[in-house]
Amino acid sequence: MAGEPQPDCLFCKIVSGDIPATIVRETETTVAFRDINPQAPTHVLVIPRVHHPDAAALAAAEPGIAADILREAGHVAADEKIVDSGYRVVFNTGSGAGQTVFHAHAHVLGGRGLQWPPG
């Protein structure tokens, strides 16, 4: 069921503490942790504690938690001291866009120049 932890979801296992991660921030609704394959000097994932397969599904079902993710992305950027130099918040939705874990999450990227368009 949407919102419920999924036994085969990597990010649900991080939320539950069954899989370790380098956590940088936690709130009642979100967990932020360092990406294990960073694409920039700062690469932190911000995920909801509830399971939804992608950002669109999360926003439709629980818009307040979607907003929490964006707010936490800003806090991560401030904590990582990348606000002044600029940072990117990315939601990949679907395998064709590069989503590999089907639990909604935002990538916070910064600490180097980020070209546009990406990819």
Side-chain angles (χ1 to χ4, degrees):
M1 176 187 295
E4 296 295 321
Q6 301 298 304
D8 61 341
C9 175
L10 172 67
F11 290 172
C12 288
K13 290 177 182 178
I14 289 173
V15 168
S16 71
D18 293 335
I19 292 180
T22 304
I23 295 174
V24 298
R25 288 186 62 86
E26 289 187 83
T27 70
E28 185 177 305
T29 59
T30 66
V31 177
F33 55 93
R34 298 205 183 279
D35 194 293
I36 62 168
N37 184 25
Q39 301 300 304
T42 294
H43 189 168
V44 174
L45 302 178
V46 182
I47 68 171
R49 290 184 179 274
V50 294
H51 181 92
H52 292 279
D54 57 47
L58 174 65
E62 303 194 54
I65 295 176
D68 291 347
I69 290 173
L70 289 173
R71 182 173 27 268
E72 282 305 302
H75 289 305
V76 165
D79 291 350
E80 297 288 318
K81 300 179 178 25
I82 58 173
V83 172
D84 291 340
S85 61
Y87 64 97
R88 184 171 289 162
V89 178
V90 177
F91 290 92
N92 297 325
T93 302
S95 59
Q99 186 178 8
T100 58
V101 177
F102 291 88
H103 179 120
H105 59 283
H107 298 257
V108 180
L109 299 145
R112 68 167 172 83
L114 300 170
Q115 303 304 312
W116 195 260

